[in-house]
Amino acid sequence: MGLTVRDALVYALENLEKVGFKKFRKQLHEIEVKENYRRIPRGKLEDKDWGDVADLIREYYKDVYGVEVTLQVLDKINERQVAEELQEDLQKVDRFVRLNELEESGCLAPKGRPMTLGLSDSGEMMCSVTLETFYPGYLHIEWKCRRETSTEVLSSQEVYRESPDGRSFSASSEVRISQDLLRCPESTVHLSWEHEYTSTKGQQTFSISDQDFLWRPVVDDIQTPQRLYHEIPAVLQCHISGYYPDAVAVKWFRKNNRNLELCEESDEVSLPKIRSSKNPDNTYSCTARLMMTPRLRNHQGAEYICRVEHPSLEEAIKKSSGGINLLAKPQLESIGKTLLEHMSIRFSLHLKTFYPKDIKVKWHHGEEDLREGVKRGTRHTETLTEREDSLFDVISECCLFAPSFGDPQYKAYVTWEHESMDGPETRMLCVRDLPWTPFVEDIFVLWLIDNERTRMMCRIYNFFPNKLTVSWYKKQDGAVSAVQDSEDITTEVSPPEMKNKTFGCTATLWFTPDAEKDEGSEFICRVEHPSLEHPIEKSTGPLHISRPGD
């Protein structure tokens, strides 16, 4: 008997997967049909198998139009491979009515290829379709764009070509569509054609929300700084690419304690305007940014969500930062120094406003790095305090043997380490870091009478440790020379005395002036101490020597 139209329809329906066959039955009920035809009721299609559905198609639409409806439905549900196989099977049907009629009349109905889409350098979308093997060579082609409540007829360009044997024609039709017509999800491009000699009508429809739309946005994961710090401005960003038209809308949300709130411009948050850039393939890309100044109390553990909307998306795309972890670097406020009894110094390291609370502090001496072979860290105590803003402060105290600082080469070190830091920080402590530097008073000069022994005194106090050096110099006729003890001059420094745990002494120079030699000369007291970068000098100024009886 050979292959029949019914056989070809049944074979095509059998080739559909279970889900595809279900979509076919649903779409078959919803498909628009020509005048004088009516849709197959939904109730008649439910639970029907391949043969039953093929019989209903032939019953309602006959063979010729039934095949056309079947092909339209297969196109709607994106089963183009099945449609092609159906067309191949129909070529084997000897008595297929539509083909016989065309051969007898000498007219051929156009066959439409699927619509193709492209993007132009000028920012427009190009839609084109090719209609093949029709005769005679004229078609009525119309493009329309529907959006919301309005419909716009589009201007198109057609190119007709005749086959080499002169028995048929083909036509290519192209239209360019502005982005403005595609910025809403309801935008639909509708193509219809009519061949008056065969009374054939055809149509194709494209919507930006179709599942096979090529230029949906690709949204990368949110990029966050490797570390986020309390009250330090930071930027979260999300890259979006490959979309068309240029119509993305981005919103940022913050989820904290299960509460979702929209991020808006505030003292803590800034949302720079999004600017799209064109890619080489004429799609668009942009980067959405959220600039914020996070604070522990409000933002610790919060999750930031970037929601991207586009007309091509049925649902918005969401990307999450995950819960953010805030840190705060310890700030060195000061290193206090206090003299204690028994010749020791208490050093107090004040580190403030850090988070989390775990912090390591080590005190050591001898070498800057606490390596193997170096004495273990010196004992110390720590006092940790939690602040109202959820940050922490710590005071680390260590007592060191004070006389060690009498050696200018002696150095002690304090090192602290915290999760928020790139690495440990160290501060060196030496005698010049101590606050107890010598205070040197002006030289007190008793009366100066020719050939009468007198003295000059310089009071020095508030120094520590007890490593003081005092030298006397004489300046005469512009030359400065060290004072050497002689019959006329002797020097001494009184034994040091402690007051308020620091040392003090008096430097004395005994002097028998000679009016002829010493008039206008000058004595200088120079004080040196390990805590001083430069010596301290005090001068008597030019001397005036009285003669007896003056």
Side-chain angles (χ1 to χ4, degrees):
M1 179 178 175
L3 189 68
T4 67
V5 172
R6 183 183 186 279
D7 295 334
L9 290 174
V10 172
Y11 293 158
L13 298 180
E14 285 179 343
N15 287 335
L16 296 173
E17 298 288 341
K18 184 176 180 180
V19 174
F21 184 58
K22 185 177 180 181
K23 290 181 179 178
F24 181 91
R25 287 185 301 183
K26 181 177 182 296
Q27 189 63 43
L28 183 59
H29 164 71
E30 297 175 352
I31 195 77
E32 293 183 6
V33 296
K34 294 180 179 179
E35 294 181 1
N36 302 324
Y37 290 92
R38 60 192 181 91
R39 295 175 180 168
I40 302 174
R42 188 189 301 275
K44 287 196 173 188
L45 291 168
E46 289 179 353
D47 301 323
K48 294 297 189 291
D49 62 12
W50 309 306
D52 294 334
V53 173
D55 290 337
L56 285 169
I57 291 172
R58 296 178 69 240
E59 175 185 346
Y60 275 76
Y61 307 120
K62 306 303 180 185
D63 283 344
V64 177
Y65 188 53
V67 169
E68 184 177 342
V69 169
T70 301
L71 292 173
Q72 290 183 18
V73 173
L74 290 174
D75 183 71
K76 284 285 187 182
I77 64 173
N78 294 320
E79 293 286 352
R80 296 186 176 91
Q81 180 64 34
V82 175
E84 291 176 3
E85 292 173 357
L86 173 58
Q87 291 173 327
E88 291 175 1
D89 287 341
L90 289 172
Q91 293 177 5
K92 303 173 185 177
V93 179
D94 294 336
R95 296 182 59 83
F96 183 38
V97 177
R98 183 180 181 193
L99 291 176
N100 290 338
E101 288 179 350
L102 291 174
E103 289 176 2
E104 292 170 5
S105 66
C107 297
L108 298 173
K111 298 176 183 178
R113 290 185 182 179
M115 188 185 301
T116 60
L117 307 177
L119 300 177
S120 70
D121 293 340
S122 60
E124 299 168 309
M125 187 176 71
M126 300 176 294
C127 299
S128 61
V129 72
T130 299
L131 303 168
E132 298 178 319
T133 60
F134 58 89
Y135 185 86
Y138 175 76
L139 294 175
H140 176 69
I141 299 174
E142 186 176 61
W143 294 83
K144 293 181 179 180
C145 184
R146 298 174 184 169
R147 54 173 182 167
E148 297 178 338
T149 59
S150 63
T151 300
E152 182 175 336
V153 177
L154 305 174
S155 175
S156 62
Q157 291 184 342
E158 281 76 42
V159 176
Y160 287 84
R161 294 181 180 87
E162 187 176 3
S163 65
D165 59 9
R167 298 181 61 182
S168 65
F169 289 85
S170 65
S172 297
S173 181
E174 181 180 273
V175 68
R176 292 175 175 250
I177 304 173
S178 167
Q179 291 191 60
D180 293 336
L181 299 177
L182 301 171
R183 294 185 185 276
C184 62
E186 296 81 10
S187 297
T188 303
V189 178
H190 182 79
L191 164 67
S192 63
W193 67 85
E194 183 176 355
H195 189 240
E196 61 178 327
Y197 296 100
T198 58
S199 300
T200 301
K201 294 182 180 179
Q203 63 179 15
Q204 290 186 22
T205 301
F206 151 77
S207 173
I208 194 173
S209 59
D210 287 347
Q211 290 298 315
D212 58 352
F213 182 65
L214 299 174
W215 304 300
R216 284 190 167 85
V218 176
V219 183
D220 294 345
D221 292 335
I222 295 175
Q223 296 179 21
T224 61
Q226 188 175 4
R227 289 176 175 173
L228 289 168
Y229 294 97
H230 170 73
E231 291 191 339
I232 301 298
V235 178
L236 307 184
Q237 60 184 26
C238 187
H239 188 64
I240 308 160
S241 61
Y243 56 86
Y244 182 91
D246 180 14
V248 290
V250 178
K251 293 181 180 179
W252 289 87
F253 294 86
R254 184 175 72 192
K255 188 176 183 181
N256 202 354
N257 298 326
R258 297 185 180 181
N259 295 323
L260 189 68
E261 60 181 19
L262 177 66
C263 295
E264 298 180 301
E265 291 280 347
S266 66
D267 293 340
E268 294 182 351
V269 174
S270 176
L271 300 169
K273 185 177 180 180
I274 296 175
R275 300 185 184 278
S276 296
S277 59
K278 186 182 285 190
N279 299 320
D281 63 355
N282 294 319
T283 61
Y284 291 88
S285 296
C286 69
T287 299
R289 293 180 175 85
L290 181 143
M291 304 173 70
M292 64 173 177
T293 304
R295 292 177 173 83
L296 273 167
R297 180 162 293 181
N298 299 332
H299 302 93
Q300 179 69 350
E303 175 185 359
Y304 283 85
I305 298 170
C306 179
R307 189 177 75 182
V308 179
E309 299 174 348
H310 189 261
S312 66
L313 297 174
E314 187 174 342
E315 293 184 357
I317 298 175
K318 299 177 183 177
K319 294 290 182 177
S320 170
S321 66
I324 64 172
N325 180 36
L326 288 179
L327 303 171
K329 288 184 180 181
Q331 303 298 315
L332 174 60
E333 184 178 64
S334 63
I335 301 179
K337 298 99 179 175
T338 305
L339 279 173
L340 304 177
E341 302 290 346
H342 310 298
M343 302 296 287
S344 61
I345 303 175
R346 182 175 64 211
F347 292 91
S348 301
L349 173 73
H350 291 238
L351 297 173
K352 300 177 71 70
T353 62
F354 59 89
Y355 186 91
K357 68 179 181 180
D358 296 328
I359 191 168
K360 295 179 181 178
V361 181
K362 290 182 180 180
W363 295 83
H364 52 100
H365 56 85
E367 294 186 31
E368 182 173 355
D369 298 323
L370 194 59
R371 298 187 298 269
E372 184 178 355
V374 179
K375 294 180 181 180
R376 289 189 300 174
T378 306
R379 289 183 180 181
H380 61 279
T381 61
E382 291 178 1
T383 303
L384 186 71
T385 305
E386 184 173 4
R387 301 156 52 101
E388 292 183 359
D389 55 7
S390 301
L391 297 171
F392 292 90
D393 298 341
V394 70
I395 298 176
S396 178
E397 296 185 331
C398 176
C399 293
L400 298 177
F401 186 52
S404 298
F405 287 90
D407 180 2
Q409 304 304 316
Y410 176 81
K411 295 177 176 59
Y413 300 89
V414 59
T415 300
W416 60 96
E417 189 173 0
H418 187 257
E419 179 184 345
S420 65
M421 300 164 57
D422 295 329
E425 288 191 21
T426 299
R427 292 293 183 274
M428 181 187 73
L429 300 167
C430 66
V431 65
R432 288 186 178 173
D433 294 307
L434 302 181
W436 306 292
T437 58
F439 184 84
V440 183
E441 292 183 350
D442 290 336
I443 299 174
F444 175 74
V445 181
L446 290 176
W447 59 89
L448 294 173
I449 300 175
D450 185 35
N451 289 320
E452 290 189 12
R453 186 173 175 83
T454 186
R455 63 179 175 173
M456 303 175 184
M457 295 180 294
C458 185
R459 173 68 180 159
I460 308 163
Y461 56 90
N462 193 52
F463 57 90
F464 189 93
N466 183 24
K467 291 286 183 178
L468 193 75
T469 301
V470 179
S471 304
W472 288 91
Y473 293 84
K474 184 177 183 181
K475 184 177 181 181
Q476 190 168 22
D477 299 329
V480 178
S481 59
V483 172
Q484 303 291 333
D485 284 358
S486 63
E487 293 182 357
D488 295 329
I489 299 177
T490 58
T491 61
E492 65 179 27
V493 178
S494 66
E497 298 180 355
M498 293 193 70
K499 183 177 182 182
N500 296 328
K501 303 183 183 65
T502 61
F503 291 92
C505 65
T506 300
T508 304
L509 181 144
W510 296 91
F511 173 50
T512 302
D514 184 322
E516 293 184 3
K517 294 190 302 180
D518 297 324
E519 178 71 23
S521 62
E522 183 178 345
F523 283 96
I524 299 169
C525 181
R526 177 180 293 174
V527 177
E528 297 176 88
H529 189 263
S531 65
L532 295 174
E533 185 174 357
H534 303 288
I536 299 174
E537 293 184 349
K538 293 291 183 175
S539 171
T540 59
L543 301 180
H544 176 66
I545 301 172
S546 301
R547 296 181 183 273
D550 287 350

